[in-house]
Amino acid sequence: MVKQQELIYEGEAKQIYATDDPALAIIRYTDEATAYKGFKKGTIIGKGVVNNHVSSMAFAMLEENGIPTHFVRRLNERDALVRRAEIIPVNVVIRNVAAGSLLQRLGLTEGQVLRRPIIEYCYKSDSLSDPMINRDHIDALGLATPEEMDQIQALSRRINELLIPFFARYGVQLVDFRIEFGRCGGKIVLADEISPDSCRLWDSKTGEKMDKDRFRRDLDDVENGYQEILRRMTQPVADA
Ligand code: C5P
């Protein structure tokens, strides 16, 4: 049993604790929610529990399919045990369907299926509001090497190919999502989370939004969107 020690990082919706094993950390998922660079703040009751379950299931599935990740195991309702990694300050966004910031940027209609998945990179910087960058910027700024980016790009495409059918089993369409990578033991590993906070997830039949966009856009029933995802994922046979 690992023992939780001091808080080492506090993010918008999660806390990370050191443990008595220097190679391991505990992620605690909270109910805090922020949007629009922190201008909108709130609490979504039960969100941390949902995100921990969903993310743990997604990471376990990806590991089983050969994706190296930081995930070790889910510890309890809100906590997961992970390997400590040096996070690469690049957000990777993968899009299958037009939504969110892509609409205004490229003049697309929400829900338009893209001819092929699009990968975008953003520089993780609060003071610069996470600007979109390309692989030249990443190399020039020394954020990651071209070889590391080759791996990140190939892993991102494979993760998308695995996540689309994974969510589809539960009647959920994976519209787009954001992931992060880290360096751990000389390898690139998938880090952070995969949850309704970091993914756009729509009901496959009705197109209803079941993710953080309900909070961002002031839609009703924010809690139920999250709970419905977890309900479906923990009762796959009845609801598939
Ligand atoms: O807002 P945008 O359309 O660029 O977001 C693309 C995807 O990345 C969405 O699934 C959103 O939830 C996710 N995202 C995120 N954290 C950010 C920015 C975007 O999880 N800081």
Side-chain angles (χ1 to χ4, degrees):
M1 263 295 280
V2 287
K3 284 207 184 68
Q4 180 185 314
Q5 293 185 338
E6 78 279 6
L7 180 71
I8 49 177
Y9 170 84
E10 174 124 40
E12 287 165 0
K14 63 172 86 74
Q15 297 159 340
I16 302 188
Y17 292 89
T19 71
D20 54 349
D21 181 337
L24 298 174
I26 292 173
I27 298 188
R28 175 156 308 148
Y29 292 87
T30 72
D31 290 349
E32 262 54 75
T34 59
Y36 308 117
K37 316 289 177 205
F39 282 105
K40 182 173 163 77
K41 285 194 167 75
T43 302
I44 302 172
I45 310 279
K47 173 170 82 73
V49 174
V50 173
N51 285 356
N52 188 26
H53 272 258
V54 172
S55 197
S56 295
M57 288 177 71
F59 271 74
M61 180 281 291
L62 292 170
E63 277 279 345
E64 277 166 26
N65 285 281
I67 304 290
T69 82
H70 72 161
F71 181 72
V72 179
R73 64 176 182 277
R74 187 166 68 85
L75 292 174
N76 55 47
E77 289 291 273
R78 286 185 182 271
D79 298 341
L81 186 65
V82 299
R83 276 177 283 278
R84 287 181 79 156
E86 180 199 346
I87 296 294
I88 295 170
V90 173
N91 280 336
V92 181
V93 173
I94 298 129
R95 302 178 185 275
N96 297 304
V97 175
S101 67
L102 196 68
L103 304 180
Q104 279 203 337
R105 189 153 24 96
L106 298 184
L108 300 178
T109 309
E110 187 180 65
Q112 210 174 318
V113 177
L114 300 167
R115 263 196 333 119
R116 48 166 286 169
I118 295 174
I119 299 187
E120 295 169 354
Y121 303 109
C122 296
Y123 180 23
K124 274 183 69 161
S125 162
D126 287 342
S127 59
L128 299 173
S129 299
D130 298 352
M132 194 192 285
I133 51 176
N134 65 28
R135 288 188 50 168
D136 279 351
H137 297 107
I138 292 170
D139 190 19
L141 294 177
L143 306 179
T145 65
E147 294 72 29
E148 286 176 327
M149 288 311 297
D150 284 345
Q151 282 183 56
I152 286 174
Q153 191 170 328
L155 284 170
S156 298
R157 291 209 187 282
R158 181 75 187 127
I159 289 165
N160 187 40
E161 285 164 8
L162 290 165
L163 285 178
I164 290 172
F166 170 76
F167 281 114
R169 279 182 57 204
Y170 308 113
V172 173
Q173 182 183 25
L174 179 62
V175 171
D176 58 31
F177 60 106
R178 189 245 332 147
I179 46 180
E180 293 179 26
F181 292 88
R183 301 180 184 97
C184 180
K187 270 200 323 195
I188 295 288
V189 297
L190 177 67
D192 200 47
E193 69 182 297
I194 293 174
S195 75
D197 267 9
S198 62
C199 305
R200 285 199 173 91
L201 302 170
W202 295 355
D203 184 287
S204 303
K205 290 204 185 90
T206 65
E208 194 187 349
K209 297 177 185 8
M210 306 166 79
D211 54 59
K212 196 171 153 188
D213 266 355
R214 299 195 70 84
F215 171 77
R216 292 190 189 101
R217 296 181 169 200
D218 288 324
L219 303 179
D220 58 6
D221 255 356
V222 179
E223 270 87 4
N224 275 339
Y226 281 80
Q227 293 300 336
E228 175 61 13
I229 293 277
L230 182 58
R231 194 185 63 75
R232 290 187 190 191
M233 291 181 68
T234 47
Q235 298 175 9
V237 178
D239 292 324

